[in-house]
């Protein structure tokens, strides 16, 4: 495989060579084997979204040009949108699984059943007030009040608008959604309605299915993402800027290395607290190690590093999901703690080869041939963390005896921990300084980079990094979330030195504030937090409608089903939304026209697809400049 198609990151390219030498199946070679490096050659109907195998009459293929339909009669537009809606259901349910676990953890913490504490009481009371609840009483009483309210709202009938959405979403957006019939009820009934609509011979209208997708996305953003992240802030702290070590060089084979991996940080935080006990460090040293380190990994790791500063125990962050097999093949890992998302099916083979323990800690996760399991229970988090530490110490001498580790891999520093609160605090307690910079043109606008990472079209993170560099060159400030955030961190764009790559205006701002041109804003779950910031900007500008703001969204390397529901929400929210690769809906010409043209007159949002990074950045800038003209700035 061409090294430029492997990864943007030198550490991964080194590890890819090591994997080949070890004869290990890996994500890069498996990708190449699927279609000679070009997914478009695999199946033209699949690529276009014009294929369906939901019933026994299928698989069917559709062709809009010749009016070729599925056996049931469904056309290409509806076929493509129905499959998109099903993907959105998958993304929504996993987002909400995380939110449910967060609410349960806060409830049991308030009841005194867990080892966690309420770390941000001010955020707790503020969020209660925003939800229309009384912020008075003890912290525990306020927390339980919030838990009761959101859990009731999650199950609110679709005929009753969500109270969470009513209290948190901008009034202008709610009016638009109500007019379109996409102001949602509770997320649980909305998931049921969306899924039921995708049954054969139920909803065959691409417009109806698109509206249902947007309705579901609104419920997800406010009830799943914002509730999840804000309650995690309450439990573990509000993100504040600080420096963290990133990339594969953070892995030292002389330590017991435990990697919490996935999207839920609960056991990750419990592991840090437990491992900071000198008694556990001494046990590791008795086993021959220098100590125990908790290494942040993928999105669970992003949740952790954004909130807590690193030290000799909580040591650093590796990277995003495509790096996973490279990480495991370093021969430095003792326990890989797999929570609800992003653990690869061949991890058991890596566990056997590189002698680490593979431990699912979520009932969603399972591997063939792996019987170990320790499903997260909030009330048992501390005890579960200690069991994992013991497992790592037991594994350490086995790994050191049987595996030759890879060392000397690169690492660097990145600045992480930006949030609405920390951005506002850095500006003196108000958004006015940022808005002034936008008004006078020093910063042309803001782009939320909400991205995964994929091998489609380019190597891992290649396109994401290139797009981000093109954006900052055009004096566009970037807020980065998701696996794409790891790309920015490892590539150096989340370091103050990256200001040298920015345009004159943005560079001057970054240098004066000692901040990077790409602000590390968290995980994919932080999409809701980003929407909340956009709403705050709208309010600070006197109620400017969201579609008219100098902001945009970019997903340069979307990969999975969470990303598709994020993109649909951005469109429902009224944002210019750039995505790459081209989504699998091109077989529906009317659907494509709806998303890329007509939607601007419906929600104000617009889907942009463009494989060339510079042209994509030009399109984003053109949209922002058009809005600046409209606003007279």
């Amino acid at each position: 495989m061409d090294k430029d198609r492997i990864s943007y990151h030198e550490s991964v390219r080194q590890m890819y060579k090591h994997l080949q030498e070890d004869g290990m199946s890996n994500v890069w070679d498996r990708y190449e084997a699927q279609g000679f490096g070009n997914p478009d050659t695999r199946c033209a109907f699949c690529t276009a979204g014009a294929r369906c195998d939901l019933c026994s009459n299928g698989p069917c293929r559709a062709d809009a040009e010749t009016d070729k339909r599925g056996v049931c009669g469904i056309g290409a537009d509806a076929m493509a949108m129905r499959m998109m809606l099903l993907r959105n259901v998958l993304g929504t349910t996993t987002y909400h699984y995380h939110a449910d676990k967060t609410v349960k953890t806060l409830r049991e913490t308030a009841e005194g059943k867990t080892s966690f504490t309420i770390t941000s009481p001010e955020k707790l009371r503020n969020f209660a007030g925003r939800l229309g609840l009384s912020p008075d009483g003890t912290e525990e009483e306020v927390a339980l009040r919030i838990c009761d309210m959101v859990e009731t709202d999650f199950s609110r009938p679709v005929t009753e608008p969500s109270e969470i959405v009513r209290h948190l979403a901008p009034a202008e957006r709610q009016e638009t959604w109500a007019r379109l019939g996409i102001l949602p009820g509770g997320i649980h009934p909305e998931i049921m309605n969306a899924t039921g609509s995708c049954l054969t011979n139920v909803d065959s209208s691409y417009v109806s299915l698109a509206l249902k997708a947007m309705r579901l996305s609104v419920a997800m953003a406010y009830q799943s993402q914002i509730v999840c992240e804000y309650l995690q802030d309450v439990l573990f702290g509000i993100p504040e800027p600080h420096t963290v070590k990133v990339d594969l060089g953070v892995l030292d084979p002389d330590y017991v290395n435990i990697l919490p991996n996935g999207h839920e940080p609960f056991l990750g935080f419990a592991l840090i607290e437990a491992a900071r006990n000198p008694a556990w460090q001494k046990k590791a040293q008795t086993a021959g190690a220098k100590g125990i380190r908790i290494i942040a990994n993928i999105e669970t790791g992003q949740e952790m590093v954004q909130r807590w500063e690193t030290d000799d125990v909580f040591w650093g962050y590796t990277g995003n999901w495509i790096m996973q097999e490279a990480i495991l093949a370093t021969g430095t890992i003792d326990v890989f703690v797999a929570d609800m998302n992003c653990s690869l099916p061949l991890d058991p083979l890596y566990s056997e080869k590189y002698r680490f323990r593979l431990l699912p800690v979520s009932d969603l996760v399972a591997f063939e041939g792996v019987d170990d399991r320790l499903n997260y229970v909030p009330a048992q988090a501390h005890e579960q963390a200690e069991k994992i530490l013991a497992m790592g110490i037991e594994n350490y001498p086995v790994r050191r005896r049987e595996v030759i580790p890879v060392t000397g891999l690169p690492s660097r520093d990145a600045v992480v921990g930006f949030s609405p609160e920390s951005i506002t605090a850095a500006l003196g307690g108000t958004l006015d300084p940022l808005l002034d910079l936008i008004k006078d043109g020093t910063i042309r606008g803001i782009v939320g980079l909400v991205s995964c990472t994929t091998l489609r079209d380019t190597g891992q993170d290649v396109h994401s990094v290139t797009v981000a560099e093109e954006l900052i060159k055009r004096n566009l400030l970037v807020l980065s979330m998701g696996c794409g955030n790891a790309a920015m961190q490892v590539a150096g764009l989340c370091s103050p030195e990256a200001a040298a790559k920015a345009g004159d205006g943005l560079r001057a701002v970054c240098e004066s504030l000692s901040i990077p041109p790409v602000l590390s804003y968290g995980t994919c779950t932080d999409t809701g937090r980003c929407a909340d910031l956009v709403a705050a900007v709208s309010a600070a500008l006197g109620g400017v409608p969201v579609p008219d703001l100098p902001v945009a969204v970019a997903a340069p390397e979307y990969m999975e089903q969470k990303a598709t529901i994020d993109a649909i929400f951005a469109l429902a929210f009224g944002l210019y939304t750039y995505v790459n690769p081209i989504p699998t809906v091109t077989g529906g010409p009317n659907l494509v026209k709806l998303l890329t043209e007509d939607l601007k007159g419906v929600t104000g949002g617009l889907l942009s697809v463009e494989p060339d990074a510079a042209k994509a950045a030009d399109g984003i800038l053109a949209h922002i400049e058009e809005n600046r003209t409209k606003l007279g700035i």
Side-chain angles (χ1 to χ4, degrees), residues 285-304:
Q285 291 160 6
T286 300
K290 290 182 177 178
I292 301 174
R293 281 181 175 169
I294 310 302
I295 305 294
N297 211 43
I298 306 183
E299 297 293 80
T300 289
Q302 287 291 341
E303 298 277 16
M304 294 161 62

Side-chain angles (χ1 to χ4, degrees), residues 41-370:
T41 65
R42 297 176 194 169
C43 173
F45 289 96
C46 294
T47 301
R51 178 194 179 280
C52 176
D53 62 356
L54 294 181
C55 84
S56 65
N57 289 307
C60 292
R61 299 174 295 179
D63 187 336
E65 188 173 337
T66 62
D67 199 30
K68 179 179 181 179
R69 296 169 174 263
V71 171
C72 68
I74 194 168
D77 293 294
M79 189 180 284
M81 190 61 231
R82 182 169 66 181
M83 192 55 67
M84 177 63 76
L85 178 53
L86 277 175
R87 291 190 188 98
N88 292 341
V89 169
L90 293 175
T92 299
T93 54
T94 47
Y95 270 136
H96 200 68
Y97 179 94
H98 185 174
D100 272 340
K101 281 289 192 293
T102 304
V103 175
K104 182 178 177 64
T105 299
L106 178 61
R107 178 181 291 281
E108 295 193 12
T109 298
E111 293 171 345
K113 297 177 181 178
T114 79
S115 58
F116 303 126
T117 60
I118 292 173
T119 302
S120 303
E122 184 178 348
K123 180 74 175 254
L124 174 76
R125 296 184 190 277
N126 176 268
F127 193 47
R130 290 192 62 193
L131 291 172
L133 302 171
S134 170
D136 299 331
T138 67
E139 294 168 8
E140 292 74 17
E141 288 170 343
V142 176
L144 291 172
R145 206 173 290 146
I146 292 175
C147 292
D148 289 342
M149 183 270 189
V150 298
E151 287 182 332
T152 297
D153 202 60
F154 292 162
S155 298
R156 191 174 300 279
V158 294
T159 53
E160 300 178 14
S162 162
E163 285 293 297
I164 295 173
V165 174
R166 181 172 74 85
H167 285 293
L168 300 183
E172 169 265 326
R173 287 291 85 191
Q174 291 188 54
E175 291 170 7
T176 298
W177 297 333
R179 174 171 49 81
L180 295 172
I182 61 172
L183 194 60
I187 192 163
H188 294 154
E190 292 293 348
I191 289 171
M192 180 174 66
N193 274 23
T195 307
S197 297
C198 294
L199 195 72
T200 304
N201 297 331
V202 176
D203 190 334
S204 58
S205 164
Y206 75 93
V207 173
S208 172
L209 291 165
L211 289 170
K212 287 173 180 175
M214 286 191 284
R215 180 176 173 125
L216 182 64
S217 76
V218 174
M220 178 280 305
Y222 289 95
Q223 297 176 48
S224 302
Q225 291 183 335
I226 289 183
V227 167
C228 176
E229 285 298 341
Y230 283 18
L231 296 189
Q232 286 185 161
D233 286 352
V234 168
L235 285 165
F236 305 116
I238 299 170
E240 296 181 356
H242 59 277
T243 301
V244 63
K245 292 177 283 294
V246 300
D247 210 346
L248 300 188
V250 302
L251 296 164
D252 185 335
D254 293 333
Y255 286 81
V256 175
N257 289 308
I258 298 175
L259 272 66
N261 178 83
H263 282 242
E264 293 180 327
F266 313 118
L267 278 176
F269 284 119
L271 281 163
I272 294 170
E273 291 282 29
R276 282 174 173 165
N277 184 335
W280 279 106
Q281 294 294 324
K282 186 174 181 179
K283 288 179 182 180
Q285 291 160 6
T286 300
K290 290 182 177 178
I292 301 174
R293 281 181 175 169
I294 310 302
I295 305 294
N297 211 43
I298 306 183
E299 297 293 80
T300 289
Q302 287 291 341
E303 298 277 16
M304 294 161 62
V305 297
Q306 301 294 334
R307 291 182 172 86
W308 285 13
E309 295 199 23
T310 53
D311 56 18
D312 289 340
V313 174
F314 181 33
W315 182 249
Y317 176 82
T318 54
N320 54 34
W321 82 266
I322 287 183
M323 299 171 79
Q324 185 169 141
E325 290 166 337
I327 292 165
L328 299 178
T330 61
T332 62
I333 313 305
D334 290 294
V335 187
F336 190 76
V337 183
D339 69 52
M340 58 161 284
N341 205 178
C342 287
S343 293
L344 301 187
L346 289 187
D347 284 354
L349 296 183
Y350 280 73
S351 173
E352 182 179 355
K353 173 76 173 180
Y354 300 106
R355 306 302 288 162
F356 62 88
R357 299 288 295 274
L358 179 59
L359 184 68
V361 294
S362 167
D363 54 8
L364 293 191
V365 178
F367 302 95
E368 289 186 11
V370 175

Side-chain angles (χ1 to χ4, degrees), residues 34 44 63 188 232 418 597 623:
Q34 282 293 326
D63 187 336
H188 294 154
Q232 286 185 161
F418 290 92
E597 297 178 28
H623 164 77

